Amino acid sequence: MEAKKAAAELAVAEIREGMIVGLGTGSTAYWAIQGLGARVRNGLNIQAVATSEASENLAKELGIPLIAFANISEIDVTIDGADEVDAAWNLIKGGGGALLREKIVAFSSRKLIIVVDESKVVAQLGAFPLPVEVVKFGYELTIRRLRALGCKPEVRVVDRQPFLTDNGNYIIDCNFGSIPNPAGLHQAINGIPGVVETGLFIGMASQVIVGYKDGSVERL
Ligand code: DER
């Protein structure tokens, strides 16, 4: 927890008065939202958009003002976690099942700050099964297409039921083992009808902050 919290706090320090801030999802983004809540209580004026209902509820609890998408054209800074980060700052995200909203928010953000602990930094993506959001209709066929790309695909199950994202879709966790060409794989997966989005965030991170067990932090 210390490592994730330390990384998140360094990111929160970059938020300025009047900014529109994207709130990520997951246990590291949790600390960023907590830190933003503290700064708002100390007088910081910001408006936020959340990447999941969980993060939205947390922001409301902490008194962080939320703004509707209809009222914004772009987001200044989004702070979010990741499941894996490679040397080119390509990411695997979606461990928390929020990848679609996270990617929509990240794509409209001038700056995407990724906050992770050291366990997430890898030489090559793929040890973490790649989350892919798919519509329910014909998902059994979509799974076959994903398997044909060279992975072991599994419908994410929670409490013995298929996990449903905030958007009412399924998540297929695709175990590739290693992903030597993240951009190419992202394109191939997104070419399958029924796929909504992949957890590969290619060339989207503006900054990566790594927290270590001893509480130290490093900007890559
Ligand atoms: O689901 C997500 O995309 C989360 O950001 C995930 O990738 C990181 O979750 P963690 O901060 O709880 O490890």
Side-chain angles (χ1 to χ4, degrees):
M1 178 198 66
E2 274 317 304
K4 291 184 172 184
K5 195 172 177 199
E9 287 174 350
L10 194 62
V12 165
E14 302 207 13
I15 304 302
R16 296 281 168 272
E17 181 75 9
M19 277 189 171
I20 295 177
V21 184
L23 306 178
T25 295
S27 61
T28 313
Y30 167 86
W31 290 114
I33 297 171
Q34 288 287 353
L36 281 169
R39 291 195 59 192
V40 164
R41 281 194 297 282
N42 288 337
L44 177 72
N45 294 306
I46 57 169
Q47 292 175 293
V49 289
T51 57
S52 61
E53 287 169 9
S55 293
E56 182 173 332
N57 293 336
L58 179 59
K60 282 177 181 166
E61 254 174 61
L62 296 170
I64 298 173
L66 295 165
I67 186 168
F69 284 104
N71 302 331
I72 54 176
S73 54
E74 72 173 0
I75 295 156
D76 294 302
V77 181
T78 289
I79 303 173
D80 204 349
D83 297 297
E84 285 186 339
V85 186
D86 72 8
W89 296 2
N90 292 320
L91 316 173
I92 285 186
K93 284 176 60 52
L99 67 95
L100 178 60
R101 296 191 181 190
E102 289 173 332
K103 197 176 276 190
I104 291 169
V105 169
F107 195 65
S108 293
S109 299
R110 289 191 17 249
K111 195 171 177 186
L112 173 62
I113 304 179
I114 295 298
V115 287
V116 292
D117 67 26
E118 58 195 296
S119 71
K120 309 297 186 70
V121 180
V122 297
Q124 187 171 85
L125 300 178
F128 188 93
L130 174 63
V132 176
E133 183 153 345
V134 304
V135 297
K136 285 187 202 172
F137 177 82
Y139 79 92
E140 298 89 344
L141 297 176
T142 309
I143 286 180
R144 286 205 191 96
R145 295 285 168 222
L146 288 167
R147 185 177 292 112
L149 291 177
C151 72
K152 293 190 188 70
E154 283 181 27
V155 179
R156 185 176 297 184
V157 171
V158 173
D159 299 334
R160 293 193 300 282
Q161 295 292 326
F163 170 79
L164 285 182
T165 67
D166 287 345
N167 320 300
N169 299 317
Y170 285 162
I171 293 280
I172 311 297
D173 290 305
C174 302
N175 199 331
F176 283 93
S178 71
I179 300 175
N181 177 6
L185 181 62
H186 171 68
Q187 298 273 333
I189 294 175
N190 264 348
I192 302 170
V195 168
V196 179
E197 195 43 86
T198 82
L200 286 167
F201 285 51
I202 306 298
M204 296 180 74
S206 322
Q207 201 182 113
V208 177
I209 299 176
V210 183
Y212 295 88
K213 282 194 282 288
D214 63 4
S216 64
V217 285
E218 177 192 16
R219 277 195 179 80
L220 294 192

